[in-house]
Amino acid sequence: MAGINKVILIGNLGKDPEVKHFESGSMVVNFSIATSESYKDKKSGEKITQTEWHNISIWREGLAKIAETYLKKGSSVYIEGKLRTRSWDDKDGNKRYTTEVVADNMTMLGGRSDSGQAQGESNANNSGAFEDDSSGDLPF
């Protein structure tokens, strides 16, 4: 049976996105978003908020350029993508693993800011929704 690897998140950026440009001309945009849920503790009656942080990577060129241009700390975004786990070696030679969401679709939520006044005007229906239809393998 085939599996499904789909992630949908709505959250806020904790800091400005990090952009890396490669010699090949490709780029990646990385950022973290926070999602929160609140509930009432049954014993104390106290409201408890639990926050999770999610690492997001955007490799698709069109979507990465939009993220680089318009996203900033505090931006609210809707992200659709898939989970990927990659390994890397730290400075001591130890193998480390990172799980992140590789975004296929992004919608900027909230109102327009002064600096991003035209954020959706060049895209369909002015909704802030962006998809990159380019296909191809991710570079990892």
Side-chain angles (χ1 to χ4, degrees):
M1 171 191 274
I4 296 175
N5 182 356
K6 178 129 180 151
V7 176
I8 298 174
L9 297 168
I10 296 175
N12 298 314
L13 276 73
K15 61 181 181 178
D16 290 342
E18 295 177 9
V19 181
K20 294 179 188 168
H21 294 272
F22 301 103
E23 289 182 20
S24 65
S26 64
M27 66 187 293
V28 63
V29 176
N30 295 305
F31 55 91
S32 294
I33 63 171
T35 58
S36 298
E37 69 178 309
S38 298
Y39 60 92
K40 189 181 250 188
D41 184 87
K42 291 182 180 180
K43 293 181 181 176
S44 68
E46 181 182 350
K47 181 181 174 183
I48 297 175
T49 301
Q50 186 172 359
T51 301
E52 295 288 335
W53 287 93
H54 311 275
N55 295 322
I56 312 296
S57 289
I58 302 177
W59 289 92
R60 296 177 185 254
E61 183 179 353
L63 205 55
K65 286 181 181 178
I66 300 231
E68 175 185 32
T69 304
Y70 297 109
L71 293 184
K72 61 184 178 189
K73 178 180 180 177
S75 297
S76 294
V77 292
Y78 169 93
I79 298 287
E80 286 184 17
K82 53 188 144 285
L83 286 177
R84 290 273 196 248
T85 301
R86 58 184 172 85
S87 64
W88 49 279
D89 294 326
D90 67 11
K91 63 181 180 178
D92 298 324
N94 299 315
K95 188 166 283 287
R96 301 284 184 167
Y97 296 91
T98 300
T99 299
E100 58 199 0
V101 176
V102 177
D104 295 323
N105 185 354
M106 174 183 69
T107 301
M108 294 179 287
L109 305 174
R112 293 181 181 184
S113 66
D114 292 338
S115 63
Q117 185 173 356
Q119 71 186 28
E121 291 178 7
S122 64
N123 297 290
N125 76 21
N126 209 17
S127 69
F130 300 97
E131 279 190 63
D132 184 10
D133 294 330
S134 62
S135 59
D137 294 328
L138 298 175
F140 55 86

